[in-house]
Amino acid sequence: MSLNVTIIIQILAFLAVCWLTMKYIWPQILGAMEEREKKIADGLAAGDRAEKELSQAQAKVDTLIVDAKDQAIHIKDQASQMATKIKDQAKSDALAEKERQLNAAKAEIEQEANRAKEALRQQVSALAIAGTEQLLSKEVDAQKHAELLDDLIKEI
Amino acid sequence: MADKEYTGVGGYIEHHLTNNVIELVPGNPFWNVHIDSVIYSLVLGVLFLWFFRRVAKKATSGVPGRMQNFIELIVGFVDDQVKDAFKGNSKLVAPLALTIFVWVFLMNFMDLVPVDLLPAAGQQVGINYMKVVPTTDLNITFGLAIGVMILVFYYSIVIKGPLGYAKELVTHPFEAKNPIAIIALAPFNLLLNVVETLAKPISLALRLFGNLYSGELIFLLIAVFTLDMAVTELFTTLGGPLMGIGQFILTFIWAAFHILIITLQAYIFMMLSLVYLNMAHEKHDAH
């Protein structure tokens, strides 16, 4: 059990192995471990963020849907109002047209009746003149008695 | 030495505890090399480097393979211990801790190889002496401890400066404000610090050596049960089977217990090295 040069060999070997470990083993393995740790932490943070963003988006979607519903209701109301308006307009237009046509027809009928009366009157007066002429057997000067005749016609 | 006869129980044990020596300078015992310790130690060191390097080269930050997982378990464990015990810059110290832990563990692990297996194989090829557990050789444990102490001195000087370190050696642990008292206390401080500094590597080396040497000795004592028994004797005599079974059971129990010891000793060696290196980083002037 003697101490000898083996010690020195072992010291050198130990320092060499330490140096090699420091150079070629430790940084690579620990680096990979730390990188993985970072990746996992980043992944978790990203997950949290995504979750938050999702809930924000969900809230946004909800408000959008509510808005859209409101808008749809509004549009529907407007449309039905417009429809009622158009319907009423059409109805009143139709009534007015009916009235107009009715009046026109009435006027035409009246006109026609007046014209017929006039013609009738003329014919009656002519007949009266002719009758009178024949009765008197005497020519009545139409010119002279125009005034008289007119009165007569009016009476008829 | 090879011509010495080893007979009986004492001879058997003595033979097992004798290193294979190469005399670099014949007649000068300092230049003897325990070639078996050196070779086993280096082979295990290279095994450690090769095994870890293989994983380090392919180390991925993605999903690790089974091998990488295992290595990362060890590296992560050592890294945690370093972070706990050592407050300085751990660029060199953490790999040092890993080296100590794994290498010492591997050297200790040789203790679990059946005591006669490798020496008997060696004798078949003409190697008469072989001690397979490097950490049962004081040279190896002192080599490691002195390697740690070299770094302790290095860091003490780099961190505190040569003067700062020298000042610490003569002004601590007994502190005084009075200049005369400081000078009066200096020799005692220096003496205490020298003793303390010397005690560090000695305690490191002897603790590891003592545990492993005694463990190996107990394996050898258990192996003596069936020493010099012929294989036929194990089955034909009354005592043979009893001895064989007894040896098996005792070896098993001691080996199972020894798994704990070899791991614990590797861990203690690593932790104490970290503590010593941390002390080298601490400045006493702060308080």
Side-chain angles (χ1 to χ4, degrees):
Chain A
M1 205 31 64
S2 48
L3 292 175
N4 51 39
V5 77
T6 312
I7 285 190
I8 291 162
I9 296 172
Q10 182 63 18
I11 292 171
L12 296 177
F14 174 60
L15 294 178
V17 172
C18 277
W19 184 78
L20 288 170
T21 310
M22 180 183 81
K23 201 90 181 161
Y24 298 110
I25 291 172
W26 185 267
Q28 284 83 347
I29 294 176
L30 203 72
M33 287 168 74
E34 276 166 356
E35 204 181 310
R36 183 175 323 112
E37 240 165 67
K38 201 176 158 292
K39 265 190 192 170
I40 292 171
D42 286 354
L44 287 175
D48 282 353
R49 208 166 46 236
E51 208 172 323
K52 209 180 279 170
E53 274 167 11
L54 181 67
S55 69
Q56 278 173 356
Q58 191 66 51
K60 206 172 168 186
V61 165
D62 286 350
T63 59
L64 278 177
I65 287 173
V66 168
D67 281 359
K69 270 183 185 162
D70 283 355
Q71 219 163 352
I73 290 168
H74 183 67
I75 288 169
K76 212 175 99 188
D77 283 358
Q78 257 185 342
S80 69
Q81 268 174 17
M82 185 93 78
T84 316
K85 223 181 191 173
I86 289 169
K87 218 165 76 185
D88 289 354
Q89 182 73 42
K91 215 170 170 182
S92 66
D93 281 1
L95 282 173
E97 179 68 13
K98 188 182 113 190
E99 199 73 19
R100 196 182 59 78
Q101 283 188 1
L102 197 64
N103 288 341
K106 271 183 185 166
E108 208 174 330
I109 290 165
E110 203 166 331
Q111 222 175 355
E112 211 56 41
N114 284 345
R115 203 175 297 139
K117 268 182 196 167
E118 191 69 24
L120 200 58
R121 202 177 288 150
Q122 301 248 325
Q123 277 176 354
V124 169
S125 65
L127 271 176
I129 289 165
T132 317
E133 246 176 292
Q134 276 176 353
L135 277 174
L136 294 176
S137 305
K138 209 172 114 186
E139 200 175 333
V140 180
D141 189 352
Q143 305 291 319
K144 271 184 187 167
H145 302 285
E147 208 174 316
L148 188 77
L149 278 172
D150 276 347
D151 286 346
L152 196 70
I153 288 165
K154 264 175 203 158
E155 270 170 50
I156 297 164
Chain B
M1 281 217 274
D3 14 320
K4 194 172 158 191
E5 274 300 319
Y6 292 98
T7 49
V9 171
Y12 169 77
I13 291 173
E14 198 188 338
H15 180 237
H16 261 285
L17 295 176
T18 306
N19 281 107
N20 196 330
V21 175
I22 289 180
E23 294 182 15
L24 291 181
V25 179
N28 187 343
F30 176 75
W31 289 102
N32 290 351
V33 175
H34 292 169
I35 194 67
D36 45 2
S37 296
V38 169
I39 287 174
Y40 277 114
S41 161
L42 286 182
V43 164
L44 292 168
V46 169
L47 191 73
F48 154 68
L49 287 173
W50 171 77
F51 193 62
F52 275 63
R53 177 64 191 159
R54 220 168 57 113
V55 171
K57 257 198 296 199
K58 291 188 293 186
T60 163
S61 62
V63 180
R66 219 180 309 173
M67 200 61 92
Q68 195 187 340
N69 232 332
F70 173 64
I71 297 299
E72 280 186 8
L73 193 75
I74 299 170
V75 172
F77 168 73
V78 171
D79 193 44
D80 282 348
Q81 302 305 319
V82 171
K83 277 177 184 148
D84 274 353
F86 182 75
K87 304 294 176 228
N89 173 15
S90 58
K91 216 177 133 234
L92 169 61
V93 172
L96 174 109
L98 179 72
T99 306
I100 291 174
F101 183 61
V102 179
W103 199 8
V104 170
F105 175 80
L106 287 175
M107 290 195 280
N108 291 352
F109 189 82
M110 295 306 288
D111 217 0
L112 294 178
V113 176
V115 279
D116 277 315
L117 185 65
L118 291 169
Q123 262 169 344
Q124 295 300 311
V125 294
I127 300 165
N128 283 319
Y129 296 93
M130 190 189 284
K131 239 172 113 178
V132 292
V133 192
T135 40
T136 57
D137 184 347
L138 263 180
N139 291 290
I140 298 298
T141 59
F142 263 113
L144 291 169
I146 291 170
V148 171
M149 284 319 286
I150 287 172
L151 289 168
V152 167
F153 286 129
Y154 170 77
Y155 279 120
S156 293
I157 290 168
V158 165
I159 301 284
K160 298 163 186 167
L163 282 176
Y165 185 45
K167 193 180 152 213
E168 192 188 291
L169 286 179
V170 292
T171 56
H172 290 87
F174 298 119
E175 293 175 45
K177 295 265 183 281
N178 187 329
I180 297 165
I182 288 175
I183 292 166
L185 286 172
F188 300 105
N189 280 330
L190 187 63
L191 183 71
L192 267 171
N193 279 313
V194 167
V195 170
E196 191 193 332
T197 309
L198 281 177
K200 283 174 186 172
I202 291 174
S203 75
L204 266 182
L206 287 184
R207 179 182 302 105
L208 184 60
F209 164 76
N211 274 284
L212 271 292
Y213 191 81
S214 60
E216 177 79 343
L217 202 60
I218 288 171
F219 275 121
L220 289 172
L221 287 172
I222 294 169
V224 163
F225 270 45
T226 53
L227 185 66
D228 292 335
M229 261 191 204
V231 177
T232 48
E233 261 182 289
L234 276 175
F235 302 104
T236 53
T237 61
L238 186 64
L242 286 177
M243 286 302 217
I245 291 166
Q247 181 185 342
F248 176 78
I249 291 172
L250 284 177
T251 308
F252 179 79
I253 292 170
W254 182 239
F257 180 59
H258 212 59
I259 291 173
L260 190 71
I261 293 179
I262 61 173
T263 317
L264 197 66
Q265 286 307 318
Y267 175 73
I268 289 172
F269 201 106
M270 175 187 79
M271 283 314 280
L272 282 175
S273 302
L274 286 174
V275 168
Y276 295 156
L277 285 164
N278 190 46
M279 282 161 79
H281 279 70
E282 274 173 355
K283 287 189 177 176
H284 287 281
D285 307 306
H287 57 92

